[in-house]
Amino acid sequence: MLRGWPRVLLCFAAGAVTSLAQAPFHAFIVCFVTFPILVFVLDGITADPDKRLSTVRQAFATGWLFGWGYFIAGLWWLSNALLVEAPEFAWFIPVAVFGLPAVLAVFYGLATAFARVFWPDSMGRLFSLALFFGLAEWLRSFVLTGFPWNAIGYAAMPVPVLMQSVVLFGLFGVSALGVLLFSLPAAAIAGRRSRVIGALLVILLGGSHGGFGLYRLAMAPDPALDAETRSISVRLVQPNLDQSQKVAREDPAATFDDLLALSALPPEDGSIGQPSWVIWPETAVPYILTRQPAALAAIGDTLADGQVLLTGAVREELTSSDTRQGSRFYNSVLAVSDAGIITGAADKVRLVPFGEFLPLSDVFRQLGLDAIAAADRGYSSAATRSVLTLDDINIVPLVCYEAIFPAQLVPGDIILNVTNDGWFGNTPGPYQHMHQSRLRAVEAGIPLIRLANTGLSGVFDPYGRAEAWISFGERGAADVEVPLAKAQMVAVLDANFNYWLLNVILSIITLTSVILWRRRR
């Protein structure tokens, strides 16, 4: 029944508190309070048949305020990247902290606006809200280049046992079901019959979500007991280089020598032996290797016989035979042999807007703004996703935030995610990125190797369980034996089909509830 500023503040605060359900807090319990608040506020919008546009507008404002609070509280750490080069980019901090969340909140505003159009005075309204929130998260994955960061579904999947449902419905399906589950306490005040049905649905949805995860993990085979399961030994090299030093390119030789020294350390565990692959994080090499034959020779001298280096690096591609005409630059993963020869490359497909490329560049450059992570040259994106093949193993490279996009993988045996979250310091950002990355392993049913410059590096099995770990802020190397086992996929139709089938079911329940409510009225 609130009106005016109290209502505005309540919607904004409910959204902000909802962000605690994401990493690193994983306090998903708050959603059982904040989403019923959202339902109650939408209930309070007066539905006047002569002022339907006003009703939709109020519903949009409610969802937008909820989303604005949610994204401000969940993405404030983006401002840390602007402080790395403060004199040039600090003025843009208010846009990053308040402007980007305002744009992302439009999707939640659309979700509540459409949900309010199909809003019976019954439990059917919860199905309507779930349907359109799931569609909003789907739209957020590709509209305006896409930015599905902190989708609601991640809040419902904080630990491996609760991650397994993603193979059934995908991230957007879990988001829709998560909103339905989180909203069900709103049924508690709608009468005894609704309370009983709501409680049964909580048990059904929550129990199925957790029960399926327990079953799938219990049935997962142990790769150590399967003699036919191949494995590959890898060394994760985490330099923990300060981002301001990296941007300033202070003493690149020392940075490069440190990477070589960590790569040349003796094996940690004699049972593993010499790692077959050495892996460095995103843009770890402070040089463009094709311009530095001495650096390639140093890599070759450091690697043992048969070893291969997989490293994030800037790759240059000449646009013509005349070097004066310029070059294209790619954020890439390079494979370098023990002879110091680049044997393979995979370029980043999805670039970070305002980070690696500048949308509407002519307009923004007139305002003095360049892409933050590529201010001196800008990056080009690859037309298609490439696969690197080493030792007959197909590696699917994902550079940086490419790992947050579901269903973007090509077939392969292992996922390699190299990133540099040093831009964001010790904030929730790196933890959110890591949590979202590990879901890609569960979706694809193959292992994931994740290597970050400043930490939260590790190896995850096809069920999202951590096999090895290097904490945030640590400098060092870790040797890991990675089984190339694939998860036993569920014998159902693919997750994308299931998501749209779920939308059909939610739509039928919603429309049926609306029809029955109007007949009763």
Side-chain angles (χ1 to χ4, degrees), residues 308-324:
V308 176
L309 171 68
L310 290 167
T311 180
V314 177
R315 188 180 74 84
E316 181 182 23
E317 184 179 273
L318 298 179
T319 55
S320 69
S321 58
D322 185 355
T323 57
R324 292 173 298 177

PDB file of all heavy atoms in Angstrom, residues 308-324:
ATOM      1  N   VAL A 308      54.344 -27.559 -23.771  1.00  0.00           N
ATOM      2  CA  VAL A 308      53.720 -26.507 -24.578  1.00  0.00           C
ATOM      3  C   VAL A 308      53.235 -25.413 -23.634  1.00  0.00           C
ATOM      4  O   VAL A 308      52.699 -25.705 -22.554  1.00  0.00           O
ATOM      5  CB  VAL A 308      52.532 -27.057 -25.396  1.00  0.00           C
ATOM      6  CG1 VAL A 308      51.829 -25.937 -26.152  1.00  0.00           C
ATOM      7  CG2 VAL A 308      53.005 -28.117 -26.373  1.00  0.00           C
ATOM      8  N   LEU A 309      53.440 -24.175 -24.029  1.00  0.00           N
ATOM      9  CA  LEU A 309      52.920 -23.036 -23.276  1.00  0.00           C
ATOM     10  C   LEU A 309      51.614 -22.568 -23.911  1.00  0.00           C
ATOM     11  O   LEU A 309      51.546 -22.350 -25.128  1.00  0.00           O
ATOM     12  CB  LEU A 309      53.923 -21.884 -23.280  1.00  0.00           C
ATOM     13  CG  LEU A 309      53.406 -20.550 -22.707  1.00  0.00           C
ATOM     14  CD1 LEU A 309      53.162 -20.666 -21.205  1.00  0.00           C
ATOM     15  CD2 LEU A 309      54.362 -19.410 -23.018  1.00  0.00           C
ATOM     16  N   LEU A 310      50.585 -22.428 -23.095  1.00  0.00           N
ATOM     17  CA  LEU A 310      49.332 -21.798 -23.506  1.00  0.00           C
ATOM     18  C   LEU A 310      49.240 -20.475 -22.758  1.00  0.00           C
ATOM     19  O   LEU A 310      49.177 -20.457 -21.536  1.00  0.00           O
ATOM     20  CB  LEU A 310      48.133 -22.684 -23.162  1.00  0.00           C
ATOM     21  CG  LEU A 310      47.986 -23.970 -23.974  1.00  0.00           C
ATOM     22  CD1 LEU A 310      46.965 -24.892 -23.330  1.00  0.00           C
ATOM     23  CD2 LEU A 310      47.584 -23.649 -25.407  1.00  0.00           C
ATOM     24  N   THR A 311      49.246 -19.384 -23.480  1.00  0.00           N
ATOM     25  CA  THR A 311      49.292 -18.088 -22.819  1.00  0.00           C
ATOM     26  C   THR A 311      48.338 -17.102 -23.457  1.00  0.00           C
ATOM     27  O   THR A 311      48.127 -17.100 -24.672  1.00  0.00           O
ATOM     28  CB  THR A 311      50.716 -17.500 -22.854  1.00  0.00           C
ATOM     29  OG1 THR A 311      50.711 -16.221 -22.200  1.00  0.00           O
ATOM     30  CG2 THR A 311      51.223 -17.328 -24.277  1.00  0.00           C
ATOM     31  N   GLY A 312      47.766 -16.264 -22.619  1.00  0.00           N
ATOM     32  CA  GLY A 312      47.054 -15.116 -23.127  1.00  0.00           C
ATOM     33  C   GLY A 312      48.053 -14.093 -23.626  1.00  0.00           C
ATOM     34  O   GLY A 312      49.077 -13.844 -22.987  1.00  0.00           O
ATOM     35  N   ALA A 313      47.804 -13.508 -24.780  1.00  0.00           N
ATOM     36  CA  ALA A 313      48.736 -12.552 -25.368  1.00  0.00           C
ATOM     37  C   ALA A 313      48.013 -11.724 -26.413  1.00  0.00           C
ATOM     38  O   ALA A 313      46.948 -12.113 -26.920  1.00  0.00           O
ATOM     39  CB  ALA A 313      49.926 -13.270 -26.013  1.00  0.00           C
ATOM     40  N   VAL A 314      48.587 -10.582 -26.732  1.00  0.00           N
ATOM     41  CA  VAL A 314      48.083  -9.764 -27.830  1.00  0.00           C
ATOM     42  C   VAL A 314      48.673 -10.308 -29.128  1.00  0.00           C
ATOM     43  O   VAL A 314      49.888 -10.463 -29.245  1.00  0.00           O
ATOM     44  CB  VAL A 314      48.472  -8.290 -27.642  1.00  0.00           C
ATOM     45  CG1 VAL A 314      47.995  -7.461 -28.844  1.00  0.00           C
ATOM     46  CG2 VAL A 314      47.878  -7.739 -26.351  1.00  0.00           C
ATOM     47  N   ARG A 315      47.804 -10.607 -30.081  1.00  0.00           N
ATOM     48  CA  ARG A 315      48.262 -11.107 -31.377  1.00  0.00           C
ATOM     49  C   ARG A 315      48.076 -10.020 -32.431  1.00  0.00           C
ATOM     50  O   ARG A 315      47.008  -9.400 -32.516  1.00  0.00           O
ATOM     51  CB  ARG A 315      47.472 -12.355 -31.787  1.00  0.00           C
ATOM     52  CG  ARG A 315      48.022 -13.038 -33.040  1.00  0.00           C
ATOM     53  CD  ARG A 315      47.211 -14.271 -33.403  1.00  0.00           C
ATOM     54  NE  ARG A 315      45.921 -13.942 -33.967  1.00  0.00           N
ATOM     55  CZ  ARG A 315      45.709 -13.645 -35.257  1.00  0.00           C
ATOM     56  NH1 ARG A 315      46.723 -13.612 -36.099  1.00  0.00           N
ATOM     57  NH2 ARG A 315      44.489 -13.368 -35.681  1.00  0.00           N
ATOM     58  N   GLU A 316      49.119  -9.801 -33.200  1.00  0.00           N
ATOM     59  CA  GLU A 316      49.079  -8.783 -34.245  1.00  0.00           C
ATOM     60  C   GLU A 316      48.890  -9.446 -35.600  1.00  0.00           C
ATOM     61  O   GLU A 316      49.500 -10.466 -35.900  1.00  0.00           O
ATOM     62  CB  GLU A 316      50.381  -7.974 -34.246  1.00  0.00           C
ATOM     63  CG  GLU A 316      50.410  -6.865 -35.294  1.00  0.00           C
ATOM     64  CD  GLU A 316      51.724  -6.102 -35.306  1.00  0.00           C
ATOM     65  OE1 GLU A 316      52.739  -6.675 -34.846  1.00  0.00           O
ATOM     66  OE2 GLU A 316      51.744  -4.946 -35.758  1.00  0.00           O
ATOM     67  N   GLU A 317      48.049  -8.827 -36.401  1.00  0.00           N
ATOM     68  CA  GLU A 317      47.825  -9.298 -37.768  1.00  0.00           C
ATOM     69  C   GLU A 317      47.985  -8.113 -38.703  1.00  0.00           C
ATOM     70  O   GLU A 317      47.241  -7.128 -38.616  1.00  0.00           O
ATOM     71  CB  GLU A 317      46.419  -9.886 -37.900  1.00  0.00           C
ATOM     72  CG  GLU A 317      46.115 -10.499 -39.242  1.00  0.00           C
ATOM     73  CD  GLU A 317      44.720 -11.089 -39.278  1.00  0.00           C
ATOM     74  OE1 GLU A 317      44.565 -12.268 -38.879  1.00  0.00           O
ATOM     75  OE2 GLU A 317      43.785 -10.376 -39.668  1.00  0.00           O
ATOM     76  N   LEU A 318      48.965  -8.189 -39.574  1.00  0.00           N
ATOM     77  CA  LEU A 318      49.214  -7.095 -40.505  1.00  0.00           C
ATOM     78  C   LEU A 318      48.065  -6.993 -41.501  1.00  0.00           C
ATOM     79  O   LEU A 318      47.624  -7.999 -42.060  1.00  0.00           O
ATOM     80  CB  LEU A 318      50.529  -7.316 -41.247  1.00  0.00           C
ATOM     81  CG  LEU A 318      51.795  -7.364 -40.381  1.00  0.00           C
ATOM     82  CD1 LEU A 318      53.021  -7.625 -41.256  1.00  0.00           C
ATOM     83  CD2 LEU A 318      51.974  -6.070 -39.600  1.00  0.00           C
ATOM     84  N   THR A 319      47.591  -5.784 -41.703  1.00  0.00           N
ATOM     85  CA  THR A 319      46.472  -5.591 -42.636  1.00  0.00           C
ATOM     86  C   THR A 319      46.937  -5.536 -44.081  1.00  0.00           C
ATOM     87  O   THR A 319      46.144  -5.653 -45.003  1.00  0.00           O
ATOM     88  CB  THR A 319      45.725  -4.293 -42.305  1.00  0.00           C
ATOM     89  OG1 THR A 319      46.647  -3.206 -42.297  1.00  0.00           O
ATOM     90  CG2 THR A 319      45.073  -4.397 -40.941  1.00  0.00           C
ATOM     91  N   SER A 320      48.243  -5.331 -44.297  1.00  0.00           N
ATOM     92  CA  SER A 320      48.802  -5.345 -45.646  1.00  0.00           C
ATOM     93  C   SER A 320      50.289  -5.611 -45.526  1.00  0.00           C
ATOM     94  O   SER A 320      50.854  -5.662 -44.434  1.00  0.00           O
ATOM     95  CB  SER A 320      48.540  -4.011 -46.358  1.00  0.00           C
ATOM     96  OG  SER A 320      49.305  -2.974 -45.754  1.00  0.00           O
ATOM     97  N   SER A 321      50.928  -5.776 -46.643  1.00  0.00           N
ATOM     98  CA  SER A 321      52.371  -6.006 -46.622  1.00  0.00           C
ATOM     99  C   SER A 321      53.129  -4.772 -46.169  1.00  0.00           C
ATOM    100  O   SER A 321      54.275  -4.863 -45.732  1.00  0.00           O
ATOM    101  CB  SER A 321      52.848  -6.429 -48.017  1.00  0.00           C
ATOM    102  OG  SER A 321      52.512  -5.429 -48.980  1.00  0.00           O
ATOM    103  N   ASP A 322      52.496  -3.628 -46.256  1.00  0.00           N
ATOM    104  CA  ASP A 322      53.114  -2.378 -45.830  1.00  0.00           C
ATOM    105  C   ASP A 322      52.765  -2.146 -44.360  1.00  0.00           C
ATOM    106  O   ASP A 322      51.614  -1.839 -44.021  1.00  0.00           O
ATOM    107  CB  ASP A 322      52.604  -1.216 -46.675  1.00  0.00           C
ATOM    108  CG  ASP A 322      53.316   0.106 -46.364  1.00  0.00           C
ATOM    109  OD1 ASP A 322      54.145   0.112 -45.421  1.00  0.00           O
ATOM    110  OD2 ASP A 322      53.044   1.103 -47.040  1.00  0.00           O
ATOM    111  N   THR A 323      53.724  -2.330 -43.472  1.00  0.00           N
ATOM    112  CA  THR A 323      53.457  -2.208 -42.034  1.00  0.00           C
ATOM    113  C   THR A 323      53.012  -0.805 -41.651  1.00  0.00           C
ATOM    114  O   THR A 323      52.413  -0.610 -40.590  1.00  0.00           O
ATOM    115  CB  THR A 323      54.716  -2.568 -41.223  1.00  0.00           C
ATOM    116  OG1 THR A 323      55.793  -1.720 -41.643  1.00  0.00           O
ATOM    117  CG2 THR A 323      55.095  -4.006 -41.450  1.00  0.00           C
ATOM    118  N   ARG A 324      53.253   0.181 -42.514  1.00  0.00           N
ATOM    119  CA  ARG A 324      52.838   1.540 -42.194  1.00  0.00           C
ATOM    120  C   ARG A 324      51.325   1.711 -42.300  1.00  0.00           C
ATOM    121  O   ARG A 324      50.763   2.688 -41.818  1.00  0.00           O
ATOM    122  CB  ARG A 324      53.540   2.534 -43.133  1.00  0.00           C
ATOM    123  CG  ARG A 324      55.048   2.632 -42.917  1.00  0.00           C
ATOM    124  CD  ARG A 324      55.684   3.496 -43.984  1.00  0.00           C
ATOM    125  NE  ARG A 324      55.500   2.916 -45.325  1.00  0.00           N
ATOM    126  CZ  ARG A 324      55.922   3.504 -46.441  1.00  0.00           C
ATOM    127  NH1 ARG A 324      56.533   4.680 -46.386  1.00  0.00           N
ATOM    128  NH2 ARG A 324      55.718   2.923 -47.613  1.00  0.00           N
TER     129      ARG A 324
END
